[in-house]
């Protein structure tokens, strides 16, 4: 039986849920009065999004062992996954009462508190989870995300640093740390995380874009050019990468080639309109700045801001400008003026909230 249990756990760890479920079905047949087996099978069903069946297993576990904290906690988390958060919170409160030294109960309850907007309780539960699970990267990573979403970027970075220190292969934490470094505009620090993610097999476009940004901000023009040349050859219709390629060419003082690349990017945007026209207008303003057509860019920026865009596209525009300002040796007429205008508009939005 122990070999079957170990195989069921191994299947679950490797996300082979059907195989894990088959093993737990056999285990329950062999051991029908063991509450923990129903709890484990319920977790697999939960991961398969078969929530009602999962709850039935947790209920069976609790009928056999009413003070089973694990079954209670997982039942509560399954209710959370069904958006039944008030019920979920009551169950998780009970789980913590049953077993106050189980760190994962606090971790699961924190997720429910966060959805319900209970920020103090969320942070308190993550702190409890960290105290009880000091070698587990998960509570640090998720508390880091809470800090980041609240704009506490230095605290977010500290938590995500600790998560990655505890688990260097934790992709989700590496991605969130890279996002936080980007938010802090520490572009030259983006490279280690992106290289580690690439080494782990992550091949999403944004990872390569962030690495190029790191190269450019740290003055490694040669590496940036090599990367953008390869990426543009692989995806010639990718306007973001073509714009980065233009910046790399400008950094290498290859102005004529950079100009051709920007014009090609603009042509692509016109031929395939962006579903978000405001974002497209901001992108076009950046392209005009790169071409040295500051007056046209200013007219476009004024018109775009008069349309009263929301915060998200303005933040993206400010991030684009901040990145260009961080690239050593890159002189762009009007850049600082545009940063000031966009930041002033963003401040007004914040005051109005």
């Amino acid at each position: 039986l122990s070999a079957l249990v170990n195989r069921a756990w191994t299947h679950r760890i490797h996300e082979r849920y059907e195989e894990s479920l088959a093993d737990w079905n056999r285990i329950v047949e062999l051991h029908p009065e063991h509450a923990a087996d129903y709890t484990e099978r319920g977790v697999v069903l939960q991961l398969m999004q078969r929530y009602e069946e999962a709850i039935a297993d947790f209920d069976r576990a609790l009928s056999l062992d009413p003070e089973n904290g694990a079954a209670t906690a997982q039942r509560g988390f399954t209710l959370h996954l069904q958006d039944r958060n008030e019920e979920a919170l009551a169950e998780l409160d009970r789980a913590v009462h049953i077993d106050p030294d189980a760190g994962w109960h606090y971790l699961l309850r924190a997720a429910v508190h966060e959805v319900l907007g209970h920020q103090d309780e969320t942070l308190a539960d993550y702190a409890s989870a960290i105290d009880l699970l000091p070698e587990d990267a998960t509570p640090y990573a998720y508390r880091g995300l809470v800090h980041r979403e609240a704009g506490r970027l230095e605290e977010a970075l500290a938590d995500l640093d600790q998560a990655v220190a505890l688990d260097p292969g934790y992709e989700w934490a590496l991605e969130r740390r890279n996002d936080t470094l980007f938010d802090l505009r520490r572009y030259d620090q983006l490279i280690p995380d992106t290289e580690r993610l690439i080494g782990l097999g992550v091949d999403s476009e944004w990872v390569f874009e962030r690495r190029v940004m790191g190269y450019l901000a740290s003055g490694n023009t040669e590496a940036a050019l090599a990367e953008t040349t390869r990426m543009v050859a692989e995806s010639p219709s990718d306007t973001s990468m073509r714009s980065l390629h233009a910046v790399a060419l400008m950094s290498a003082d290859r102005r004529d080639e950079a100009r051709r690349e920007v014009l090609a990017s603009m042509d692509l945007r016109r031929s395939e309109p962006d579903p978000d026209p405001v974002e497209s207008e901001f992108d076009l303003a950046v392209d005009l700045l790169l071409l040295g057509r500051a007056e046209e860019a200013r007219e476009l920026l004024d018109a775009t801001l008069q349309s009263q865009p929301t915060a998200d596209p303005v933040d993206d525009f400010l991030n684009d400008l901040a990145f260009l300002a961080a690239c050593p040796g890159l002189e762009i007429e009007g850049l600082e003026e545009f940063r000031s205008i966009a930041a002033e508009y963003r401040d007004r939005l914040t005051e109005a909230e």
Side-chain angles (χ1 to χ4, degrees):
L1 185 62
S2 62
L4 193 58
V5 169
N6 287 333
R7 189 174 72 179
W9 281 336
T10 301
H11 282 316
R12 190 179 90 189
I13 289 168
H14 292 284
E15 301 182 6
R16 297 189 294 267
Y17 300 137
E18 291 288 354
E19 293 89 338
S20 183
L21 180 60
D23 281 347
W24 285 114
N25 287 340
R26 180 61 179 149
I27 292 164
V28 167
E29 288 176 10
L30 295 170
H31 215 186
E33 301 304 314
H34 194 235
D37 294 339
Y38 290 97
T39 302
E40 294 293 344
R41 187 173 70 175
V43 171
V44 175
L45 288 163
Q46 179 201 94
L47 291 167
M48 297 172 75
Q49 300 183 17
R50 292 164 60 173
Y51 298 135
E52 293 301 334
E53 293 170 81
I55 287 175
D57 264 357
F58 300 137
D59 286 344
R60 176 60 175 157
L62 289 166
S63 72
L64 294 167
D65 178 9
E67 296 300 301
N68 188 317
T72 304
Q74 290 296 344
R75 188 180 192 280
F77 193 68
T78 306
L79 292 169
H80 160 67
L81 293 172
Q82 294 178 299
D83 294 324
R84 297 161 62 184
N85 288 302
E86 295 292 349
E87 297 171 76
L89 185 58
E91 286 289 281
L92 284 157
D93 284 344
R94 182 169 176 270
V96 168
H97 178 75
I98 291 170
D99 193 353
D101 294 326
W104 271 89
H105 297 176
Y106 296 94
L107 188 64
L108 296 177
R109 190 173 69 175
V112 180
H113 276 309
E114 185 176 2
V115 168
L116 292 170
H118 305 160
Q119 188 170 105
D120 290 344
E121 291 86 347
T122 301
L123 292 172
D125 271 354
Y126 281 131
S128 295
I130 286 168
D131 287 342
L132 292 164
L133 303 166
E135 300 304 313
D136 193 317
T138 308
Y140 285 104
Y142 280 90
R143 188 175 69 176
L145 181 61
V146 171
H147 284 315
R148 177 174 174 253
E149 291 180 344
R152 297 185 294 269
L153 299 181
E154 294 293 349
E155 293 170 76
L157 186 60
D159 272 348
L160 291 161
D161 281 345
Q162 184 62 25
V164 172
L166 289 167
D167 184 356
Y170 193 171
E171 288 182 20
W172 190 89
L174 284 164
E175 290 172 358
R176 301 292 84 74
R177 183 169 74 174
N178 201 266
D179 288 338
T180 305
L181 289 168
F182 182 81
D183 293 341
L184 287 164
R185 297 175 179 171
R186 298 179 186 173
Y187 307 109
D188 57 342
Q189 296 178 32
L190 298 176
I191 299 171
D193 284 351
T194 55
E195 291 188 338
R196 191 177 294 180
L197 285 165
I198 291 166
L200 290 168
V202 178
D203 61 356
S204 300
E205 178 185 300
W206 74 267
V207 176
F208 294 97
E209 288 185 3
R210 291 276 176 86
R211 183 162 72 169
V212 169
M213 295 174 81
Y215 287 148
L216 288 167
S218 58
N220 192 346
T221 303
E222 184 177 346
L225 271 174
E227 188 102 301
T228 56
T229 299
R230 178 181 63 81
M231 293 293 288
V232 167
E234 292 178 1
S235 303
S237 62
D238 184 338
T239 55
S240 296
M241 188 55 70
R242 295 199 79 142
S243 293
L244 277 176
H245 188 45
V247 175
L249 289 165
M250 288 179 69
S251 297
D253 203 27
R254 293 160 58 176
R255 299 275 170 169
D256 289 342
E257 294 171 81
R259 178 181 178 81
R260 287 195 292 272
E261 199 63 28
V262 175
L263 291 171
S265 179
M266 292 170 70
D267 286 342
L268 284 166
R269 287 198 177 96
R270 291 190 186 100
S271 64
E272 299 179 14
D274 194 301
D276 185 339
V278 173
E279 186 175 323
S280 184
E281 294 296 286
F282 281 127
D283 288 341
L284 182 56
V286 173
D287 286 340
L288 290 169
L289 280 177
L290 292 174
L291 290 171
R293 292 155 58 177
E295 186 174 338
E296 291 177 65
R298 174 62 187 272
E299 291 174 1
L300 178 60
L301 177 61
D302 288 344
T304 305
L305 293 179
Q306 284 174 14
S307 71
Q308 299 184 335
T310 58
D312 286 347
V314 179
D315 287 338
D316 290 342
F317 181 58
L318 281 166
N319 283 334
D320 288 342
L321 298 179
F323 165 64
L324 292 175
C327 295
L330 198 64
E331 296 181 6
I332 300 174
E333 181 187 353
L335 180 60
E336 290 307 317
E337 178 192 7
F338 276 49
R339 292 183 71 187
S340 177
I341 292 169
E344 183 180 338
Y345 178 87
R346 184 65 179 85
D347 289 343
R348 289 200 299 272
L349 286 180
T350 302
E351 290 169 4
E353 290 176 355

